[in-house]
Amino acid sequence: MSRPFIEVDHVSKQFKKNDVFSNLSFSLKEGEVLSLVGPSGTGKSTLLRCLAGIEAFTSGEVLIEGNSILQTAAKDRPIGMVFQQALLFPHLTILENVTYGLRLHTAKREAVIEGLKYLKLVGLEDYKNEYPHALSGGQQQRVSLVRALILKPKLLLLDEPFSSLDPELRRELRGWVKELLRKENTTSIFVTHDREEAMLLGDRVAVLAEGVIQQQGRPKEVYDHPVNRLVARLYSDAFVLDHDSYCLTEHLEWLSEKQEGYECFQAEWVNDTYQHGQRYAHIRLSGDQGRYVIPVPRDQSVNTDQTGFIGVPLAFIKRFE
Amino acid sequence: MKKWIFYGSAFLLFFIPAILLIVKSFTPVWRWGEPFTFDWTLRGWETFLMDARIFDAMAISLVIALVVTFLNLFTGIPAGKALSHSEFRGKSALEVLLVLPLFLPAMAAAVGLHITMIRLGLANNWLGVAIVHLVPTIPYTIKVMKSGYDRLNPDMLQQGKMLGAGGWHVFRTIELPMLMPSIRSAVFLTVTISMSQYVLTAIIGGGNVITLPIIYYPFLQSVDDTVMAAFSVAFAILPVLAVLFVELVATVLTGRFSISKRGAL
């Protein structure tokens, strides 16, 4: 078997003697996009910064096409990075921003031709002589992305690039980014805390929590078969019965009284919402043991005191593996 | 509205006084009770030019101010960056320590440093004067550069490196242009403070280094407004020259003319 394109091997990072993350290992095939999901503060950004060379790993090895990169300075690594903010250089025009990296090694004429080609790709060629402040947040982030892509990095790191944008813009941009990454066949690691984004962009997802990769696999696989409570809570939509078993919330039912064939949990109906025609009940387990959203039929009525049971069909209870 | 306030106050507080000063340097002294007359006179400027050392003094003032400015930037930029972008133990204490020279009376600093300067062979020459001018200027430069770096996101500089640029290139093409507003403030402060030093210059220069204030201050005792105005106008031109020179150096370094660029900073 040939070696993977990118290999991250047992990397750890300590900060003031505390583990930020430890023994992370994963690999990427050429052109593959890995989504890294997890709650904030679990070292996702730190991992990217270490890969980029802005910070250093405490231990571990990173290979690109079989060559270690950890001894290489940040500026010489074949890695590009897009930060949370667009970080366009405010004193340079859009075109100058895009060609900033190219100009280091290429003559101005060629850099400009290449820069215009890429600006056209993102539909911003009309803005080439504008300064960054004239662009909207989404446009700035697009410029930031092509500024990294134009250098054809072997690995592109995206650190929550949409998090500073409003929801409308995010939706528009992520589809667009996915298409661009595919077109350029760019191997990338995409960090997010939004699982919808993770599913949409990643060929594979890895769930990072409590300093370890809890699970990785195809987006649907991980969603359908979470391996533990953390993944069930962070990435999947699952009702966790106990340490060993769970049930996907799509199978849950709202019961006004206990029934055969169900494991029942007393709960309170908080309210309901509709999405794409489907009605969802927002349920609070009694004793405040968590909230769940479960699909319910549109015509199902609710007791006046709004108490009832979450019914977990016995047939759909699965064990964490 | 904001623009209106800016232009309004600039006119009132800068333009009118400057014009009055220039007019004053060409009109004779007016004493209380005398009728208003509009006579013109070149006496102010003649007195100014009478002293043969005047152009030497202007030149040496300018040279000293520029040397002081570059020493300031050379130390103030890295210091400001460290104070703003790095975390280390005793940072606040160091920050206070660096401002302390401002609380020292100039006389005390001059007398205290005089013997050291003599030992080092720096007394009585212009380089010694330039070095002693660092005492009242460097604290300001560090403060100004620190707040400049506070406004500059460290990731902006990392982004430059991620695009393949080395440290010096990032400094020239990103840091320097983005810090220009702070550098300008620091340069103005430094040049003006350096050119206003009388005590420090007189003691360390030992009478050999004749800067503009050394010639200028004796005239303060006279009540001849016309002569004073002529001196003041000449004095005001020097900082402008110094700032233009710094702009020129910055333009050469960054490879672009930053003052006319529309990019908002």
Side-chain angles (χ1 to χ4, degrees):
Chain A
M1 211 183 94
S2 66
R3 294 193 80 122
F5 190 65
I6 311 257
E7 224 176 330
V8 177
D9 189 22
H10 291 97
V11 294
S12 302
K13 171 77 178 172
Q14 288 182 336
F15 185 69
K16 289 183 176 162
K17 290 185 181 155
N18 293 318
D19 282 342
V20 180
F21 48 78
S22 53
N23 285 322
L24 301 186
S25 294
F26 54 88
S27 59
L28 286 126
K29 286 184 289 217
E30 191 167 6
E32 194 178 30
V33 180
L34 175 74
S35 287
L36 205 60
V37 228
S40 19
T42 43
K44 295 177 309 224
S45 292
T46 313
L47 174 64
L48 290 199
R49 295 175 84 87
C50 290
L51 286 170
I54 299 170
E55 290 175 43
F57 287 116
T58 313
S59 64
E61 183 59 278
V62 178
L63 305 170
I64 294 185
E65 291 179 312
N67 302 316
S68 171
I69 56 151
L70 293 186
Q71 306 309 317
T72 314
K75 73 181 183 73
D76 298 319
R77 292 190 188 184
I79 295 178
M81 183 156 175
V82 178
F83 292 79
Q84 281 186 28
Q85 292 101 27
L87 297 179
L88 298 183
F89 308 131
H91 56 290
L92 301 181
T93 64
I94 297 305
L95 184 62
E96 285 169 329
N97 261 286
V98 169
T99 53
Y100 184 87
L102 272 187
R103 286 292 310 278
L104 294 166
H105 313 289
T106 329
K108 186 171 181 179
R109 253 182 74 88
E110 292 158 49
V112 165
I113 292 170
E114 193 72 1
L116 285 174
K117 197 179 94 189
Y118 271 81
L119 274 181
K120 204 164 198 162
L121 207 63
V122 298
L124 289 173
E125 70 271 34
D126 291 344
Y127 291 89
K128 62 177 194 243
N129 292 324
E130 294 290 336
Y131 285 87
H133 64 87
L135 270 64
S136 72
Q139 290 171 325
Q140 290 193 12
Q141 203 55 276
R142 278 195 262 170
V143 174
S144 183
L145 188 72
V146 289
R147 182 174 63 174
L149 276 177
I150 199 169
L151 296 171
K152 306 209 182 308
K154 296 213 160 107
L155 175 63
L156 180 67
L157 308 170
L158 301 149
D159 187 4
E160 307 208 22
F162 312 131
S163 62
S164 54
L165 307 176
D166 57 74
E168 184 89 6
L169 219 54
R170 289 175 81 130
R171 263 195 289 278
E172 181 192 315
L173 211 55
R174 53 198 184 191
W176 181 91
V177 166
K178 168 142 190 159
E179 197 186 327
L180 189 63
L181 292 180
R182 180 145 303 163
K183 218 184 277 177
E184 297 281 311
N185 197 29
T186 311
T187 316
S188 345
I189 299 177
F190 172 75
V191 155
T192 179
H193 59 259
D194 182 323
R195 60 184 192 183
E196 199 180 314
E197 243 166 52
M199 279 181 220
L200 213 66
L201 267 109
D203 298 313
R204 271 190 311 130
V205 296
V207 181
L208 181 68
E210 298 181 352
V212 248
I213 290 183
Q214 304 284 345
Q215 189 177 359
Q216 48 180 320
R218 306 217 152 270
K220 185 172 177 304
E221 244 167 59
V222 180
Y223 183 80
D224 282 344
H225 305 285
V227 293
N228 59 33
R229 295 166 64 109
L230 273 171
V231 179
R233 188 160 58 81
L234 291 169
Y235 185 76
S236 184
D237 288 310
F239 182 84
V240 179
L241 286 87
D242 51 50
H243 268 290
D244 301 318
S245 48
Y246 68 96
C247 173
L248 295 180
T249 52
E250 62 190 285
H251 303 302
L252 299 181
E253 286 174 40
W254 174 254
L255 305 172
S256 44
E257 48 202 41
K258 285 191 178 180
Q259 275 182 32
E260 282 288 318
Y262 290 93
E263 191 150 340
C264 295
F265 295 87
Q266 196 170 19
E268 186 190 341
W269 177 295
V270 181
N271 50 30
D272 51 357
T273 52
Y274 293 83
Q275 222 169 7
H276 311 298
Q278 172 68 49
R279 183 186 187 200
Y280 292 94
H282 296 248
I283 308 291
R284 183 169 55 216
L285 276 183
S286 39
D288 223 359
Q289 294 192 37
R291 284 159 169 269
Y292 288 91
V293 180
I294 63 175
V296 288
R298 290 186 77 127
D299 51 4
Q300 183 168 21
S301 59
V302 189
N303 294 345
T304 46
D305 60 352
Q306 299 189 325
T307 55
F309 297 90
I310 288 182
V312 185
L314 295 177
F316 288 108
I317 295 179
K318 290 185 195 162
R319 299 180 68 80
F320 289 124
E321 284 160 17
Chain B
M1 186 62 194
K2 255 185 158 173
K3 263 198 175 156
W4 182 85
I5 292 175
F6 173 77
Y7 286 119
S9 45
F11 185 77
L12 201 71
L13 300 173
F14 175 75
F15 196 66
I16 292 185
I19 292 291
L20 278 179
L21 198 63
I22 293 171
V23 170
K24 183 70 243 177
S25 73
F26 287 103
T27 49
V29 180
W30 177 82
R31 283 186 185 80
W32 177 256
E34 283 180 11
F36 284 108
T37 48
F38 280 97
D39 291 334
W40 298 93
T41 173
L42 287 173
R43 198 175 49 82
W45 290 98
E46 277 163 2
T47 315
F48 174 77
L49 294 171
M50 220 159 55
D51 199 328
R53 300 168 303 170
I54 201 83
F55 288 106
D56 289 345
M58 283 176 86
I60 195 75
S61 296
L62 195 60
V63 169
I64 290 175
L66 285 173
V67 170
V68 172
T69 302
F70 281 100
L71 286 176
N72 260 278
L73 293 177
F74 197 70
T75 48
I77 290 178
K81 185 173 185 178
L83 285 175
S84 170
H85 285 187
S86 345
E87 289 301 327
F88 50 87
R89 276 168 72 101
K91 188 166 127 175
S92 332
L94 184 67
E95 236 186 295
V96 174
L97 209 66
L98 287 172
V99 201
L100 280 183
L102 293 182
F103 295 95
L104 199 67
M107 186 65 104
V111 172
L113 284 168
H114 196 195
I115 294 178
T116 316
M117 289 302 218
I118 292 172
R119 282 198 192 119
L120 292 172
L122 287 170
N124 301 345
N125 71 44
W126 68 269
L127 189 63
V129 172
I131 287 172
V132 86
H133 281 185
L134 296 178
V135 176
T137 51
I138 274 192
Y140 289 115
T141 304
I142 293 176
K143 274 270 166 207
V144 170
M145 292 322 297
K146 179 189 177 289
S147 56
Y149 271 104
D150 282 344
R151 285 191 300 270
L152 181 63
N153 187 344
D155 276 345
M156 191 71 97
L157 307 179
Q158 299 298 353
Q159 177 69 79
K161 285 189 184 153
M162 290 308 302
L163 294 171
W168 173 241
H169 190 80
V170 169
F171 179 76
R172 278 200 314 115
T173 55
I174 304 171
E175 259 169 282
L176 206 52
M178 289 187 70
L179 286 172
M180 262 334 266
S182 302
I183 291 177
R184 267 179 212 127
S185 320
V187 168
F188 259 112
L189 267 173
T190 310
V191 168
T192 318
I193 293 174
S194 161
M195 286 192 175
S196 323
Q197 294 304 317
Y198 180 78
V199 176
L200 286 179
T201 312
I203 294 180
I204 303 296
N208 285 339
V209 183
I210 308 295
T211 60
L212 208 50
I214 302 283
I215 299 183
Y216 182 55
Y217 278 6
F219 281 94
L220 268 175
Q221 288 172 343
S222 76
V223 281
D224 196 334
D225 301 358
T226 311
V227 177
M228 289 311 296
F231 266 99
S232 297
V233 170
F235 210 173
I237 294 170
L238 288 182
V240 176
L241 287 178
V243 169
L244 284 178
F245 184 74
V246 174
E247 288 292 335
L248 189 75
V249 172
T251 306
V252 170
L253 266 183
T254 58
R256 59 197 300 124
F257 190 52
S258 58
I259 245 179
S260 67
K261 283 284 175 177
R262 287 180 300 133
L265 284 171

